[in-house]
Amino acid sequence: MKKVYFLVLVMIFAAAVTGCKKSEQAPAAAEQAAVVDELKPTEDALILAARENFEPIPLNVEEGYKQLKNNTPTPEKLELGKMLYFEPRISKSQLISCNTCHNLSFGGDDYQQTSIGHGWQRGPRNAPTVLNSVYNTAQFWDGRAGDLKEQAKGPLQASVEMAATPAYVVEVLKSIPAYVELFKTAFPGVEDPVTFDNVASAIEVFEATLLTPNSKFDKFLRGDSTALNETEKAGLQAFIDKGCTSCHAGINLTSDGYYPFGLKETPEEKLLAGDKGRFAISQAEGDEFAFKAPTLRNIEYTAPYFHSGLVWDLREAVAVMSSSQLGIELTDAEIDQIVAFLKATTGEMPKVEYPILPPSTINTPKPTYTID
Amino acid sequence: MKKVYFLVLVMIFAAAVTGCKKSEQAPAAAEQAAVVDELKPTEDALILAARENFEPIPLNVEEGYKQLKNNTPTPEKLELGKMLYFEPRISKSQLISCNTCHNLSFGGDDYQQTSIGHGWQRGPRNAPTVLNSVYNTAQFWDGRAGDLKEQAKGPLQASVEMAATPAYVVEVLKSIPAYVELFKTAFPGVEDPVTFDNVASAIEVFEATLLTPNSKFDKFLRGDSTALNETEKAGLQAFIDKGCTSCHAGINLTSDGYYPFGLKETPEEKLLAGDKGRFAISQAEGDEFAFKAPTLRNIEYTAPYFHSGLVWDLREAVAVMSSSQLGIELTDAEIDQIVAFLKATTGEMPKVEYPILPPSTINTPKPTYTID
């Protein structure tokens, strides 16, 4: 009897210890996902309709890794990629980093009509958000990059953005011994790991983790019918019924297709003169003035809107889309509801510890400011 | 007997629970400091000589708060101040934040001869580091700001830096409801808390925590005679013996005094033509071409050197200082030793979670790029 008594106490004791051991660290992301990351059975007609059109962002941000092609993610690549994402010395002026235009304080975007880059030059189109972008089947408004690895090489070299060259980027990084070591660890067994390709691969691994799970909309999708209020639900219903989902569906609220702006009527004053969009890449007639349907997630953070960045008001953007792409006029109430729904797609922003970058050396190239 | 046995087990059980409760959170900074933050008794002559000239940076970064005047630090001010420090929307272009030129990835500085600001304009002098700057008795190279609160207002309004006006900064912040709430919490009981003064006060509270404790040099000062290697010790000895400490002593390796550049011989090619330094503020004859002795902590991160930013090589900077200010020529070996010592002042950089900033609204002023 006493023995049992004793055993029970020992068990409680053990439980207490192991119990708190667990509580010292957050549950592994995978576990966490396993617990909550499922679509609960439901009778809710709107949830069921939503599930036919959309998927939630995974709670475990490492799920983003599954989208990577020819790039094996490792913690070392992730850490290096994070540093390079915030590294201004790989731009010609040593002032501009990926984060300058894809600011992680700002929904992975800037609040600029088009971005300001090297020499205070303006970029040609509005900067898309980096958040959840690993789910895009192609990158840039015209889809000219097949993945984030390829995308990352663009702004680094664009004369109006970071204005660097691959050789310059490699020279800067090789001049900083700590970076050479970080590349060796991130790309083990490679003779000369500090390459422009590896810079892009590391950045892609970091960007693949920049997901925004757990929005009110995603909680609703998972089966919590109270996660959206009545206005947001009405907006979701309208979004489906009006046909917005024909271009904005799936996990990232985009079909990843290219569509003329506009399909029904062209809002001339919202276009950038001479920008033929996808046509410049495909030369296909149907692609004239066609642009990739962007993600609508976290849209409250990504103003101004469209490839032109010419619309700052989300209500106006919704109205323009409905008339130009669907050929319908929404009532003010419908616009308010759809805007409320779109704002409910704002998820949890990535938590990032601001990286400490290794010091330059006397061999590090100096910044230059001239425009070639 | 059994009763005692039982009691003991209960006590172990309780201990296990409370024990692990504690371990779930890091010890309070104050406790932590109490443990290690003392000068251990020592016979080491060099440590004793160093203690006559220098003090270590406190391990508890909240010790920086003790330097604040007319600004009561609170966690709410700290959080708001951190957000404002990284907030580009309070610049005219909405692209430039405090962190642009005082980059916390880069030792609280940029790697620019002089900073690039609004409209790609160059600033007049090299940007000083924000790290440990709460220990400076005056701010800017000419000491024209008495504290960090006053300092913060300078770059915000400078036409070549952030190019904003107090009214514009307030308009931007008032257009974002989340900021209005944050100001209410940080400045409770104030009728209209969103003011330019409060912006500066919040930023100052954040900056007061940007300390870099635990450098090898500080460990040595506290009594660990093994914390510096022989070269670093020889450098420290030379730094004291040659008289560098007459301008670079105290907690921040500066006397906070103003000295002509140079005292013994003027290195014309290291000066900026027409910059009379402190004289512009004091009109005192002795202040012609005089500049504030800067902190030397983390100096490996703060190249290029001097108010002019015209010297990128730390070895050259040490040689220039010894000839221009002390009128002596150091041997190459002495320069190497002093450089090794100076690099041993690099402390632990502040760990900062990159802030998520609240979204703009349709009432938020738009960025503008023109130079007035």
Side-chain angles (χ1 to χ4, degrees):
Chain A
M1 184 59 189
K2 298 274 180 213
K3 206 171 201 133
V4 177
Y5 192 21
F6 167 70
L7 272 172
V8 171
L9 272 166
V10 171
M11 282 157 66
I12 300 170
F13 172 61
V17 178
T18 48
C20 72
K21 267 242 162 356
K22 241 197 165 58
S23 70
E24 280 170 42
Q25 54 181 55
E31 274 177 49
Q32 193 182 51
V35 177
V36 211
D37 210 351
E38 60 194 9
L39 304 184
K40 292 205 190 65
T42 180
E43 302 290 294
D44 187 308
L46 184 55
I47 295 180
L48 294 170
R51 287 177 182 177
E52 284 176 20
N53 290 281
F54 310 104
E55 284 173 63
I57 294 285
L59 293 170
N60 171 9
V61 297
E62 290 193 356
E63 287 289 301
Y65 285 155
K66 293 180 178 166
Q67 306 302 311
L68 298 179
K69 297 175 236 96
N70 315 318
N71 192 3
T72 310
T74 63
E76 294 74 19
K77 267 192 205 174
L78 174 63
E79 184 54 30
L80 175 59
K82 180 178 116 175
M83 293 170 76
L84 294 170
Y85 187 88
F86 283 96
E87 179 55 86
R89 286 171 295 186
I90 54 178
S91 67
K92 186 181 179 185
S93 66
Q94 303 195 6
L95 282 165
I96 300 170
S97 70
C98 305
N99 190 68
T100 302
C101 302
H102 302 286
N103 190 332
L104 298 182
S105 288
F106 272 6
D109 197 356
D110 50 14
Y111 280 103
Q112 307 288 330
Q113 183 233 321
T114 64
S115 301
I116 298 291
H118 185 79
W120 213 245
Q121 297 174 94
R122 301 289 297 267
R125 293 176 186 150
N126 181 259
T129 178
V130 68
L131 299 178
N132 310 305
S133 59
V134 72
Y135 287 108
N136 300 341
T137 54
Q139 306 296 336
F140 294 116
W141 281 100
D142 54 17
R144 66 185 182 274
D147 57 34
L148 290 169
K149 194 162 50 267
E150 193 183 340
Q151 188 280 335
K153 296 177 178 180
L156 271 161
Q157 299 178 82
S159 61
V160 300
E161 298 182 61
M162 294 168 77
T165 64
Y168 170 85
V169 170
V170 167
E171 187 188 357
V172 167
L173 295 170
K174 283 188 171 178
S175 75
I176 300 170
Y179 265 126
V180 175
E181 285 312 304
L182 287 161
F183 275 86
K184 281 184 188 159
T185 330
F187 300 92
V190 179
E191 175 68 37
D192 179 17
V194 186
T195 65
F196 194 59
D197 281 348
N198 287 347
V199 167
S201 297
I203 290 172
E204 182 183 47
V205 167
F206 173 61
E207 291 180 335
T209 66
L210 299 177
L211 308 188
T212 62
N214 243 348
S215 67
K216 293 198 288 177
F217 173 55
D218 285 354
K219 288 174 181 162
F220 185 77
L221 271 177
R222 289 202 175 84
D224 176 0
S225 53
T226 67
L228 296 184
N229 65 32
E230 290 315 308
T231 314
E232 293 158 345
K233 286 179 185 175
L236 169 57
Q237 188 70 65
F239 193 84
I240 296 170
D241 296 346
K242 302 289 180 181
C244 308
T245 45
S246 50
C247 301
H248 296 287
I251 189 168
N252 227 0
L253 278 71
T254 171
S255 67
D256 281 315
Y258 303 89
Y259 307 94
F261 188 12
L263 268 168
K264 302 290 183 178
E265 67 185 50
T266 303
E268 296 296 348
E269 74 290 352
K270 308 304 179 198
L271 298 175
L272 296 168
D275 187 344
K276 290 195 162 189
R278 176 73 176 167
F279 180 79
I281 310 302
S282 68
Q283 304 300 323
E285 219 178 272
D287 284 344
E288 275 203 315
F289 305 106
F291 296 89
K292 194 155 76 55
T295 179
L296 302 185
R297 286 189 175 273
N298 310 299
I299 196 165
E300 186 176 11
Y301 276 91
T302 60
Y305 304 108
F306 307 140
H307 66 283
S308 62
L310 286 171
V311 173
W312 288 82
D313 180 356
L314 184 52
R315 296 188 82 267
E316 183 186 358
V318 169
V320 168
M321 279 287 101
S322 59
S323 57
S324 65
Q325 306 308 93
L326 299 170
I328 57 175
E329 296 304 318
L330 298 171
T331 65
D332 282 355
E334 289 168 333
I335 292 173
D336 289 338
Q337 292 161 350
I338 290 173
V339 165
F341 158 62
L342 291 175
K343 289 184 175 179
T345 67
T346 297
E348 293 167 3
M349 297 290 150
K351 283 196 192 308
V352 173
E353 186 176 300
Y354 198 57
I356 304 304
L357 303 174
S360 297
T361 67
I362 50 172
N363 301 320
T364 306
K366 307 292 176 279
T368 51
Y369 311 108
T370 53
I371 297 170
D372 300 331
Chain B
M1 184 60 189
K2 296 274 180 215
K3 204 170 202 138
V4 177
Y5 192 19
F6 166 71
L7 271 172
V8 171
L9 272 163
V10 172
M11 281 157 65
I12 299 170
F13 171 62
V17 178
T18 48
C20 73
K21 269 239 159 4
K22 235 194 170 59
S23 71
E24 281 170 39
Q25 55 182 52
E31 277 176 48
Q32 196 181 48
V35 179
V36 212
D37 209 352
E38 59 194 12
L39 304 185
K40 292 205 191 65
T42 180
E43 301 291 296
D44 187 308
L46 184 56
I47 295 181
L48 294 171
R51 287 178 181 176
E52 284 176 24
N53 291 282
F54 309 105
E55 284 173 63
I57 295 284
L59 294 168
N60 171 10
V61 297
E62 292 193 354
E63 287 289 301
Y65 286 156
K66 294 182 179 165
Q67 304 303 311
L68 298 179
K69 296 175 238 96
N70 315 317
N71 191 4
T72 310
T74 63
E76 294 74 19
K77 267 192 206 175
L78 174 64
E79 184 53 30
L80 175 59
K82 180 178 117 176
M83 294 170 76
L84 294 171
Y85 187 87
F86 283 97
E87 180 54 85
R89 286 171 296 186
I90 54 177
S91 68
K92 186 181 179 185
S93 66
Q94 303 195 5
L95 281 166
I96 300 170
S97 70
C98 305
N99 190 67
T100 302
C101 303
H102 301 286
N103 190 331
L104 298 183
S105 288
F106 272 4
D109 196 357
D110 51 13
Y111 278 103
Q112 307 288 330
Q113 184 233 322
T114 65
S115 302
I116 298 291
H118 185 79
W120 213 246
Q121 297 175 93
R122 301 288 298 268
R125 293 176 187 149
N126 181 257
T129 179
V130 68
L131 299 178
N132 310 306
S133 60
V134 73
Y135 286 108
N136 300 340
T137 54
Q139 306 296 336
F140 295 116
W141 281 101
D142 54 18
R144 67 185 182 274
D147 56 35
L148 290 168
K149 194 161 53 266
E150 194 183 340
Q151 188 280 334
K153 296 177 178 180
L156 272 161
Q157 300 177 83
S159 61
V160 300
E161 298 182 61
M162 295 168 77
T165 63
Y168 169 85
V169 169
V170 167
E171 187 188 357
V172 166
L173 296 170
K174 283 188 171 176
S175 75
I176 300 170
Y179 265 126
V180 175
E181 284 313 304
L182 286 161
F183 274 86
K184 279 184 188 160
T185 330
F187 299 93
V190 179
E191 176 65 39
D192 179 17
V194 186
T195 65
F196 194 59
D197 280 347
N198 287 347
V199 167
S201 296
I203 290 172
E204 181 182 48
V205 167
F206 173 61
E207 290 180 336
T209 66
L210 299 178
L211 308 188
T212 62
N214 243 348
S215 67
K216 293 198 286 177
F217 173 55
D218 285 354
K219 288 174 181 162
F220 185 77
L221 272 177
R222 288 201 176 86
D224 175 0
S225 53
T226 68
L228 296 183
N229 65 31
E230 290 314 308
T231 315
E232 292 158 347
K233 286 180 186 175
L236 169 56
Q237 188 71 65
F239 193 86
I240 296 170
D241 295 346
K242 301 290 180 181
C244 308
T245 45
S246 50
C247 300
H248 296 286
I251 189 168
N252 226 1
L253 278 71
T254 172
S255 67
D256 282 314
Y258 303 90
Y259 307 94
F261 187 13
L263 267 168
K264 302 289 184 178
E265 68 185 50
T266 304
E268 295 297 349
E269 73 289 353
K270 308 304 179 194
L271 297 175
L272 296 167
D275 187 344
K276 290 196 162 189
R278 177 73 176 168
F279 179 79
I281 310 302
S282 68
Q283 304 301 322
E285 218 178 274
D287 284 344
E288 275 203 315
F289 306 106
F291 296 89
K292 194 155 74 57
T295 179
L296 302 184
R297 286 189 175 272
N298 309 298
I299 196 165
E300 186 176 12
Y301 276 91
T302 60
Y305 304 108
F306 307 140
H307 67 282
S308 62
L310 285 172
V311 173
W312 288 81
D313 179 356
L314 184 52
R315 294 188 84 267
E316 183 186 356
V318 170
V320 168
M321 278 289 101
S322 58
S323 57
S324 66
Q325 306 309 91
L326 298 170
I328 58 174
E329 295 304 318
L330 297 171
T331 65
D332 282 356
E334 288 168 332
I335 291 173
D336 289 337
Q337 292 161 353
I338 289 172
V339 165
F341 158 63
L342 291 175
K343 289 184 175 178
T345 67
T346 297
E348 293 166 3
M349 296 291 151
K351 284 195 192 310
V352 173
E353 186 176 298
Y354 199 56
I356 304 303
L357 303 175
S360 297
T361 67
I362 50 170
N363 302 321
T364 306
K366 307 292 177 278
T368 51
Y369 311 107
T370 52
I371 297 170
D372 300 331

